């Protein structure tokens, strides 16, 4: 089955009662399975989506913000404890190897005990880390390409495109970036981050972080209207909005998001939510 499962659609690392979880996306295409980003909660969400964790093989990380990365190590370790014996490849930006080395150092005692006491293959022997650059990505199970996108102050942030019998482009976290339209051109699905500018002040109030957070959101993320502009310019089959900012405020309804997107593009738009499955 070709499908996308939105495991978490929240923009930002906070978790609130009955709210959405941070970003993670499962793409299943032509018999291959790719996980893009590993926000907290993704292990449980993968299982709920019907995946056996010991079948994990490929993870892509768009950038090193915690809401996209926090559960990468715990996911792979949990898969290992579940019975993972096959290699896993992590594709990610500069700095991803340091993250993995740090995680393994933090779990060295547990890993050694499990190898000695339970007869497991050493976890470090199973995991390969590949630092991505712009362009084609060698060694991925699907034809994959990367496009650097602006997400200040981070320098190494990427959109990913996966091509097979269907094409899926994932924007990653990005400010409005018109060149992304060329990268995503003709994709069956464009999964793009989105922000309601009207909700920024409410997020700032909840966080108690003040003007610095407001400035970051405006500089580093894409208003929903601009995400629709990218979809229109790219001629995609469907726009799916995720990494939603804000996502858990009752003052904004799905109609608010869809109306703003419709003002810029008359194509199919889906507002993401945790657990949403999209057939390809």
């Amino acid at each position: 089955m070709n499908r996308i499962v939105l495991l978490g659609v929240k923009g930002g690392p906070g978790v609130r009662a009955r709210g959405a979880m941070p970003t993670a996306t499962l793409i299943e295409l032509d018999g291959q399975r790719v996980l893009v980003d590993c926000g907290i909660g993704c292990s449980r969400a993968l299982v709920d989506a019907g995946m056996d964790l010991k079948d994990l093989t490929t993870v892509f990380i768009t950038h090193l913000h915690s809401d996209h990365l926090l559960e990468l190590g715990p996911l792979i370790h949990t898969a290992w404890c579940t019975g993972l014996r096959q290699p896993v490849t992590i594709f990610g930006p500069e700095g991803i190897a340091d993250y993995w080395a740090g995680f393994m150092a933090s779990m060295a005692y547990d890993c050694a005990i499990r190898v000695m006491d339970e007869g497991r293959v050493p976890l470090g022997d199973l995991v390969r880390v590949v630092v991505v650059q712009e362009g084609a990505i060698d060694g991925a199970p699907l034809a994959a390409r990367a496009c650097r996108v602006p997400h200040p102050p981070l320098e190494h942030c990427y959109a990913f495109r996966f091509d097979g019998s269907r094409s899926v482009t994932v924007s990653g976290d990005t400010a409005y970036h018109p060149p992304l339209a060329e990268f995503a051109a003709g994709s069956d699905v464009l999964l793009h981050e989105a922000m309601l500018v009207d909700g920024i002040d409410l997020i700032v109030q909840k966080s108690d972080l003040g003007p610095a957070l407001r400035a970051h959101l405006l500089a580093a993320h894409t208003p929903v209207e601009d995400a629709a502009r990218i979809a229109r310019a790219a001629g995609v089959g469907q726009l799916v909005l995720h990494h939603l900012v804000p996502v858990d405020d009752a003052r904004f309804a799905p109609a608010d998001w869809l109306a703003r997107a419709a003002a810029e593009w008359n194509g199919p738009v889906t507002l993401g939510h945790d657990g949403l499955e999209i057939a390809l």
Side-chain angles (χ1 to χ4, degrees):
M1 179 173 59
N2 293 335
R3 64 173 184 163
I4 300 170
V5 184
L6 306 185
L7 307 171
V9 301
K10 182 183 185 298
V15 175
R16 297 185 175 88
R18 296 175 297 280
M21 296 298 286
T23 306
T25 304
L26 174 65
I27 300 172
E28 294 181 340
L29 180 60
D30 300 341
Q32 302 294 333
R33 181 182 290 115
V34 169
L35 177 64
V36 181
D37 286 334
C38 293
I40 192 168
C42 71
S43 300
R44 177 77 259 173
L46 283 169
V47 172
D48 289 345
M51 178 177 162
D52 189 330
L53 293 185
K54 69 175 180 289
D55 293 334
L56 182 71
T57 61
T58 310
V59 182
F60 281 78
I61 299 297
T62 60
H63 65 293
L64 300 186
H65 266 146
S66 61
D67 53 323
H68 298 254
L69 180 70
L70 195 59
E71 200 160 308
L72 172 60
L75 166 65
I76 295 174
H77 187 281
T78 301
W80 181 61
C81 290
T82 303
L84 175 76
R85 301 181 68 86
Q86 64 191 3
V88 175
T89 303
I90 302 168
F91 296 91
E94 185 174 318
I96 191 66
D98 292 338
Y99 165 87
W100 179 248
F103 175 78
M104 288 297 291
S106 74
M107 297 300 295
Y109 179 79
D110 176 89
C111 289
I113 288 294
R114 293 187 185 279
V115 169
M116 177 189 70
D117 189 48
E118 301 170 6
R120 298 183 184 275
V121 176
L123 179 56
D125 292 350
L126 295 178
V127 178
R128 180 173 70 110
V129 179
V130 177
V131 177
V132 301
Q133 305 289 337
E134 277 200 307
I137 300 172
D138 293 333
L142 295 166
R145 287 186 285 155
C147 172
R148 185 175 292 207
V149 292
H151 185 51
L154 278 70
E155 294 184 23
H156 304 285
C157 305
Y158 292 97
F160 294 121
R161 176 169 178 154
F162 305 96
D163 287 293
S165 60
R166 299 290 186 271
S167 297
V168 179
T169 298
V170 182
S171 73
D173 279 14
T174 179
Y176 177 47
H177 188 52
L180 185 57
E182 181 178 355
F183 180 73
S187 295
D188 293 283
V189 175
L190 170 60
L191 188 61
H192 203 297
E193 73 133 81
M195 173 177 65
L196 279 176
V197 175
D198 294 350
I200 289 177
D201 288 337
L202 299 175
I203 296 171
V204 171
Q205 291 170 13
K206 285 182 180 180
S207 67
D208 294 326
L209 291 176
L213 177 59
R214 190 177 198 281
H216 165 74
L217 292 172
L218 289 171
H221 293 283
T222 304
V224 60
E225 298 90 341
D226 288 333
R229 290 186 180 101
I230 296 293
R232 182 185 67 210
V236 301
Q238 181 180 4
L239 171 63
V240 179
L241 304 174
H242 80 144
H243 194 276
L244 304 174
V245 178
V247 70
D248 51 7
D249 195 305
R251 285 166 282 195
F252 298 103
D256 295 309
W257 295 87
L258 298 177
R260 285 166 174 76
E264 296 297 335
W265 187 53
N266 62 1
V269 181
T270 299
L271 182 65
H273 61 78
D274 289 8
L276 177 64
E277 182 175 322
I278 301 159
L280 293 173

